Amino acid sequence: MLDFVYYPVSAILWLWHYVFAAAFGPASALAWVLSVIFLVLTLRAVLFVPFLKQARSQAIVKKLQPKVAALKQKYASDRRQQALEVQKLYKDNGINSFATLIPLIGQLLAFLGLFHVLRSFDRTGALAHLPFQAIATPMTPEQNAATPNYVFSATDVQSFLQAKIFGAPLSAILAGTGDLLATVAVVAVPLMLIAAVATHFTARASLSRQDTTVALPMMRPLTLWAFPAFALIGGALVPVAILLYFVTNNACTLAQQHLVYRRLDAEAAAEAARTAAVRAQSAPKPGAKPIRHR
């Protein structure tokens, strides 16, 4: 269904694994970990410009709130005209509602693609019925080891299944590890905690840039606490490799937010300084008589 996402994501992951496998070996956990990390960095680089545009649009929307409030009051009895006027205001100021959704859509598709590809390395577990799986029924270990995974060959599948971090397989899921529960928990639980904390601070940084007068009241507790809780609880249902993706992606988001917001603040400060300089130049000097225009 989403092959147009799965194949590019698996191709990027394969490319990075090919690079790092040359240095550390194809079954090296470090090669696979670095492959996941650099996949995230690649996707983040692609989405940086749309994210910057989104942040600029949010800043403009926040600045336009007084005018939006005035339009809503002016057309309070005509919702259709109210919506048209607000839409016209946004359009006149270069706001494209769809463009602001591109980073979110891109991240969602990337996550679904990576989740599917990484889960499809091991199609033998009881959780194979979950959404975004390659098949509806589990395979035997022999069948799984002999079946390619998108651009990955059967040999690549076997090397992924052999890769372990501190004894925990990258394909292992905390909720279904059995005898390996303690081993996987040592790796998975810290990653789940880091992912939850990073999700919280990412949401906090984002909310700090929004206008609280127009934000939905329920969105703040939802993004600050419900999403991190989901990352913590849901982390028990995903492979260790995907937990690595969560941690890397959230860390990149925090860093990206810091860089972009600092850049926007610098641009706003420079614009304010230019405006103040223009006003100072046009203002009459002390003691000078104002010029009367006839």
PDB file of all heavy atoms in Angstrom, residues 86-107:
ATOM      1  N   VAL A  86     -10.431  35.583   6.580  1.00  0.00           N
ATOM      2  CA  VAL A  86      -9.234  35.095   7.278  1.00  0.00           C
ATOM      3  C   VAL A  86      -8.313  34.396   6.292  1.00  0.00           C
ATOM      4  O   VAL A  86      -7.081  34.579   6.328  1.00  0.00           O
ATOM      5  CB  VAL A  86      -9.626  34.141   8.429  1.00  0.00           C
ATOM      6  CG1 VAL A  86      -8.386  33.459   9.011  1.00  0.00           C
ATOM      7  CG2 VAL A  86     -10.362  34.907   9.530  1.00  0.00           C
ATOM      8  N   GLN A  87      -8.906  33.593   5.394  1.00  0.00           N
ATOM      9  CA  GLN A  87      -8.105  32.902   4.382  1.00  0.00           C
ATOM     10  C   GLN A  87      -7.405  33.910   3.473  1.00  0.00           C
ATOM     11  O   GLN A  87      -6.239  33.734   3.104  1.00  0.00           O
ATOM     12  CB  GLN A  87      -9.006  31.984   3.563  1.00  0.00           C
ATOM     13  CG  GLN A  87      -8.256  31.126   2.558  1.00  0.00           C
ATOM     14  CD  GLN A  87      -9.171  30.182   1.798  1.00  0.00           C
ATOM     15  OE1 GLN A  87     -10.392  30.287   1.865  1.00  0.00           O
ATOM     16  NE2 GLN A  87      -8.590  29.243   1.061  1.00  0.00           N
ATOM     17  N   LYS A  88      -8.105  34.983   3.106  1.00  0.00           N
ATOM     18  CA  LYS A  88      -7.518  36.029   2.256  1.00  0.00           C
ATOM     19  C   LYS A  88      -6.373  36.730   2.985  1.00  0.00           C
ATOM     20  O   LYS A  88      -5.339  37.041   2.392  1.00  0.00           O
ATOM     21  CB  LYS A  88      -8.596  37.033   1.856  1.00  0.00           C
ATOM     22  CG  LYS A  88      -8.093  38.145   0.929  1.00  0.00           C
ATOM     23  CD  LYS A  88      -9.229  39.060   0.525  1.00  0.00           C
ATOM     24  CE  LYS A  88      -8.745  40.150  -0.425  1.00  0.00           C
ATOM     25  NZ  LYS A  88      -7.716  41.015   0.186  1.00  0.00           N
ATOM     26  N   LEU A  89      -6.556  36.979   4.273  1.00  0.00           N
ATOM     27  CA  LEU A  89      -5.507  37.615   5.070  1.00  0.00           C
ATOM     28  C   LEU A  89      -4.247  36.755   5.093  1.00  0.00           C
ATOM     29  O   LEU A  89      -3.134  37.262   4.908  1.00  0.00           O
ATOM     30  CB  LEU A  89      -6.008  37.858   6.496  1.00  0.00           C
ATOM     31  CG  LEU A  89      -4.990  38.436   7.488  1.00  0.00           C
ATOM     32  CD1 LEU A  89      -4.577  39.848   7.071  1.00  0.00           C
ATOM     33  CD2 LEU A  89      -5.563  38.438   8.902  1.00  0.00           C
ATOM     34  N   TYR A  90      -4.444  35.460   5.317  1.00  0.00           N
ATOM     35  CA  TYR A  90      -3.297  34.554   5.332  1.00  0.00           C
ATOM     36  C   TYR A  90      -2.625  34.497   3.966  1.00  0.00           C
ATOM     37  O   TYR A  90      -1.385  34.491   3.861  1.00  0.00           O
ATOM     38  CB  TYR A  90      -3.739  33.150   5.753  1.00  0.00           C
ATOM     39  CG  TYR A  90      -4.031  33.008   7.233  1.00  0.00           C
ATOM     40  CD1 TYR A  90      -4.838  31.990   7.712  1.00  0.00           C
ATOM     41  CD2 TYR A  90      -3.487  33.896   8.155  1.00  0.00           C
ATOM     42  CE1 TYR A  90      -5.100  31.850   9.068  1.00  0.00           C
ATOM     43  CE2 TYR A  90      -3.739  33.769   9.514  1.00  0.00           C
ATOM     44  CZ  TYR A  90      -4.551  32.742   9.963  1.00  0.00           C
ATOM     45  OH  TYR A  90      -4.788  32.613  11.307  1.00  0.00           O
ATOM     46  N   LYS A  91      -3.423  34.438   2.900  1.00  0.00           N
ATOM     47  CA  LYS A  91      -2.881  34.362   1.549  1.00  0.00           C
ATOM     48  C   LYS A  91      -2.089  35.613   1.204  1.00  0.00           C
ATOM     49  O   LYS A  91      -1.008  35.534   0.608  1.00  0.00           O
ATOM     50  CB  LYS A  91      -4.011  34.156   0.548  1.00  0.00           C
ATOM     51  CG  LYS A  91      -3.528  33.966  -0.885  1.00  0.00           C
ATOM     52  CD  LYS A  91      -4.695  33.709  -1.830  1.00  0.00           C
ATOM     53  CE  LYS A  91      -4.212  33.512  -3.263  1.00  0.00           C
ATOM     54  NZ  LYS A  91      -5.351  33.266  -4.190  1.00  0.00           N
ATOM     55  N   ASP A  92      -2.607  36.782   1.587  1.00  0.00           N
ATOM     56  CA  ASP A  92      -1.919  38.045   1.322  1.00  0.00           C
ATOM     57  C   ASP A  92      -0.584  38.132   2.055  1.00  0.00           C
ATOM     58  O   ASP A  92       0.305  38.893   1.641  1.00  0.00           O
ATOM     59  CB  ASP A  92      -2.808  39.229   1.725  1.00  0.00           C
ATOM     60  CG  ASP A  92      -4.030  39.371   0.827  1.00  0.00           C
ATOM     61  OD1 ASP A  92      -4.025  38.787  -0.281  1.00  0.00           O
ATOM     62  OD2 ASP A  92      -5.000  40.047   1.234  1.00  0.00           O
ATOM     63  N   ASN A  93      -0.462  37.389   3.137  1.00  0.00           N
ATOM     64  CA  ASN A  93       0.782  37.405   3.911  1.00  0.00           C
ATOM     65  C   ASN A  93       1.657  36.179   3.643  1.00  0.00           C
ATOM     66  O   ASN A  93       2.587  35.899   4.404  1.00  0.00           O
ATOM     67  CB  ASN A  93       0.463  37.495   5.401  1.00  0.00           C
ATOM     68  CG  ASN A  93       0.020  38.885   5.820  1.00  0.00           C
ATOM     69  OD1 ASN A  93       0.834  39.745   6.156  1.00  0.00           O
ATOM     70  ND2 ASN A  93      -1.298  39.116   5.782  1.00  0.00           N
ATOM     71  N   GLY A  94       1.337  35.464   2.570  1.00  0.00           N
ATOM     72  CA  GLY A  94       2.182  34.360   2.140  1.00  0.00           C
ATOM     73  C   GLY A  94       2.043  33.076   2.936  1.00  0.00           C
ATOM     74  O   GLY A  94       2.960  32.247   2.936  1.00  0.00           O
ATOM     75  N   ILE A  95       0.895  32.892   3.599  1.00  0.00           N
ATOM     76  CA  ILE A  95       0.690  31.687   4.395  1.00  0.00           C
ATOM     77  C   ILE A  95       0.006  30.641   3.537  1.00  0.00           C
ATOM     78  O   ILE A  95      -1.090  30.866   3.002  1.00  0.00           O
ATOM     79  CB  ILE A  95      -0.174  31.976   5.639  1.00  0.00           C
ATOM     80  CG1 ILE A  95       0.481  33.039   6.498  1.00  0.00           C
ATOM     81  CG2 ILE A  95      -0.387  30.697   6.433  1.00  0.00           C
ATOM     82  CD1 ILE A  95       1.835  32.641   7.030  1.00  0.00           C
ATOM     83  N   ASN A  96       0.645  29.496   3.411  1.00  0.00           N
ATOM     84  CA  ASN A  96       0.087  28.355   2.682  1.00  0.00           C
ATOM     85  C   ASN A  96      -0.192  27.254   3.705  1.00  0.00           C
ATOM     86  O   ASN A  96       0.738  26.662   4.252  1.00  0.00           O
ATOM     87  CB  ASN A  96       1.065  27.863   1.619  1.00  0.00           C
ATOM     88  CG  ASN A  96       0.473  26.779   0.742  1.00  0.00           C
ATOM     89  OD1 ASN A  96      -0.362  25.994   1.178  1.00  0.00           O
ATOM     90  ND2 ASN A  96       0.911  26.728  -0.507  1.00  0.00           N
ATOM     91  N   SER A  97      -1.462  26.999   3.950  1.00  0.00           N
ATOM     92  CA  SER A  97      -1.836  26.039   4.993  1.00  0.00           C
ATOM     93  C   SER A  97      -1.284  24.649   4.710  1.00  0.00           C
ATOM     94  O   SER A  97      -0.837  23.953   5.624  1.00  0.00           O
ATOM     95  CB  SER A  97      -3.359  25.975   5.129  1.00  0.00           C
ATOM     96  OG  SER A  97      -3.874  27.238   5.485  1.00  0.00           O
ATOM     97  N   PHE A  98      -1.303  24.250   3.447  1.00  0.00           N
ATOM     98  CA  PHE A  98      -0.809  22.911   3.121  1.00  0.00           C
ATOM     99  C   PHE A  98       0.698  22.819   3.316  1.00  0.00           C
ATOM    100  O   PHE A  98       1.211  21.797   3.784  1.00  0.00           O
ATOM    101  CB  PHE A  98      -1.167  22.549   1.680  1.00  0.00           C
ATOM    102  CG  PHE A  98      -0.624  21.215   1.250  1.00  0.00           C
ATOM    103  CD1 PHE A  98      -1.212  20.037   1.690  1.00  0.00           C
ATOM    104  CD2 PHE A  98       0.488  21.136   0.415  1.00  0.00           C
ATOM    105  CE1 PHE A  98      -0.709  18.799   1.308  1.00  0.00           C
ATOM    106  CE2 PHE A  98       0.995  19.907   0.024  1.00  0.00           C
ATOM    107  CZ  PHE A  98       0.392  18.742   0.473  1.00  0.00           C
ATOM    108  N   ALA A  99       1.423  23.888   2.956  1.00  0.00           N
ATOM    109  CA  ALA A  99       2.881  23.867   3.076  1.00  0.00           C
ATOM    110  C   ALA A  99       3.316  23.674   4.519  1.00  0.00           C
ATOM    111  O   ALA A  99       4.357  23.059   4.786  1.00  0.00           O
ATOM    112  CB  ALA A  99       3.470  25.158   2.511  1.00  0.00           C
ATOM    113  N   THR A 100       2.535  24.194   5.460  1.00  0.00           N
ATOM    114  CA  THR A 100       2.899  24.048   6.868  1.00  0.00           C
ATOM    115  C   THR A 100       2.752  22.604   7.344  1.00  0.00           C
ATOM    116  O   THR A 100       3.298  22.247   8.387  1.00  0.00           O
ATOM    117  CB  THR A 100       2.020  24.959   7.745  1.00  0.00           C
ATOM    118  OG1 THR A 100       0.637  24.593   7.586  1.00  0.00           O
ATOM    119  CG2 THR A 100       2.178  26.424   7.340  1.00  0.00           C
ATOM    120  N   LEU A 101       2.009  21.789   6.581  1.00  0.00           N
ATOM    121  CA  LEU A 101       1.813  20.392   6.969  1.00  0.00           C
ATOM    122  C   LEU A 101       2.861  19.460   6.372  1.00  0.00           C
ATOM    123  O   LEU A 101       2.934  18.293   6.762  1.00  0.00           O
ATOM    124  CB  LEU A 101       0.422  19.922   6.522  1.00  0.00           C
ATOM    125  CG  LEU A 101      -0.783  20.631   7.159  1.00  0.00           C
ATOM    126  CD1 LEU A 101      -2.067  20.110   6.530  1.00  0.00           C
ATOM    127  CD2 LEU A 101      -0.807  20.418   8.659  1.00  0.00           C
ATOM    128  N   ILE A 102       3.680  19.960   5.441  1.00  0.00           N
ATOM    129  CA  ILE A 102       4.646  19.098   4.764  1.00  0.00           C
ATOM    130  C   ILE A 102       5.618  18.428   5.731  1.00  0.00           C
ATOM    131  O   ILE A 102       5.845  17.213   5.648  1.00  0.00           O
ATOM    132  CB  ILE A 102       5.399  19.894   3.681  1.00  0.00           C
ATOM    133  CG1 ILE A 102       4.454  20.235   2.537  1.00  0.00           C
ATOM    134  CG2 ILE A 102       6.597  19.089   3.154  1.00  0.00           C
ATOM    135  CD1 ILE A 102       5.086  21.054   1.435  1.00  0.00           C
ATOM    136  N   PRO A 103       6.229  19.176   6.691  1.00  0.00           N
ATOM    137  CA  PRO A 103       7.136  18.493   7.626  1.00  0.00           C
ATOM    138  C   PRO A 103       6.446  17.401   8.437  1.00  0.00           C
ATOM    139  O   PRO A 103       7.012  16.325   8.654  1.00  0.00           O
ATOM    140  CB  PRO A 103       7.627  19.633   8.536  1.00  0.00           C
ATOM    141  CG  PRO A 103       7.477  20.859   7.718  1.00  0.00           C
ATOM    142  CD  PRO A 103       6.231  20.640   6.913  1.00  0.00           C
ATOM    143  N   LEU A 104       5.209  17.665   8.875  1.00  0.00           N
ATOM    144  CA  LEU A 104       4.474  16.673   9.655  1.00  0.00           C
ATOM    145  C   LEU A 104       4.163  15.446   8.822  1.00  0.00           C
ATOM    146  O   LEU A 104       4.353  14.299   9.275  1.00  0.00           O
ATOM    147  CB  LEU A 104       3.178  17.289  10.194  1.00  0.00           C
ATOM    148  CG  LEU A 104       2.286  16.365  11.027  1.00  0.00           C
ATOM    149  CD1 LEU A 104       3.031  15.895  12.270  1.00  0.00           C
ATOM    150  CD2 LEU A 104       0.990  17.071  11.415  1.00  0.00           C
ATOM    151  N   ILE A 105       3.691  15.658   7.584  1.00  0.00           N
ATOM    152  CA  ILE A 105       3.382  14.538   6.692  1.00  0.00           C
ATOM    153  C   ILE A 105       4.650  13.751   6.367  1.00  0.00           C
ATOM    154  O   ILE A 105       4.657  12.516   6.369  1.00  0.00           O
ATOM    155  CB  ILE A 105       2.709  15.045   5.406  1.00  0.00           C
ATOM    156  CG1 ILE A 105       1.350  15.679   5.727  1.00  0.00           C
ATOM    157  CG2 ILE A 105       2.541  13.915   4.402  1.00  0.00           C
ATOM    158  CD1 ILE A 105       0.693  16.355   4.541  1.00  0.00           C
ATOM    159  N   GLY A 106       5.739  14.482   6.121  1.00  0.00           N
ATOM    160  CA  GLY A 106       7.005  13.828   5.805  1.00  0.00           C
ATOM    161  C   GLY A 106       7.507  12.961   6.949  1.00  0.00           C
ATOM    162  O   GLY A 106       7.947  11.825   6.740  1.00  0.00           O
ATOM    163  N   GLN A 107       7.426  13.490   8.166  1.00  0.00           N
ATOM    164  CA  GLN A 107       7.868  12.718   9.329  1.00  0.00           C
ATOM    165  C   GLN A 107       6.986  11.493   9.547  1.00  0.00           C
ATOM    166  O   GLN A 107       7.484  10.419   9.907  1.00  0.00           O
ATOM    167  CB  GLN A 107       7.846  13.603  10.574  1.00  0.00           C
ATOM    168  CG  GLN A 107       8.918  14.672  10.597  1.00  0.00           C
ATOM    169  CD  GLN A 107       8.885  15.466  11.887  1.00  0.00           C
ATOM    170  OE1 GLN A 107       9.025  14.936  12.976  1.00  0.00           O
ATOM    171  NE2 GLN A 107       8.687  16.771  11.766  1.00  0.00           N
TER     172      GLN A 107
END
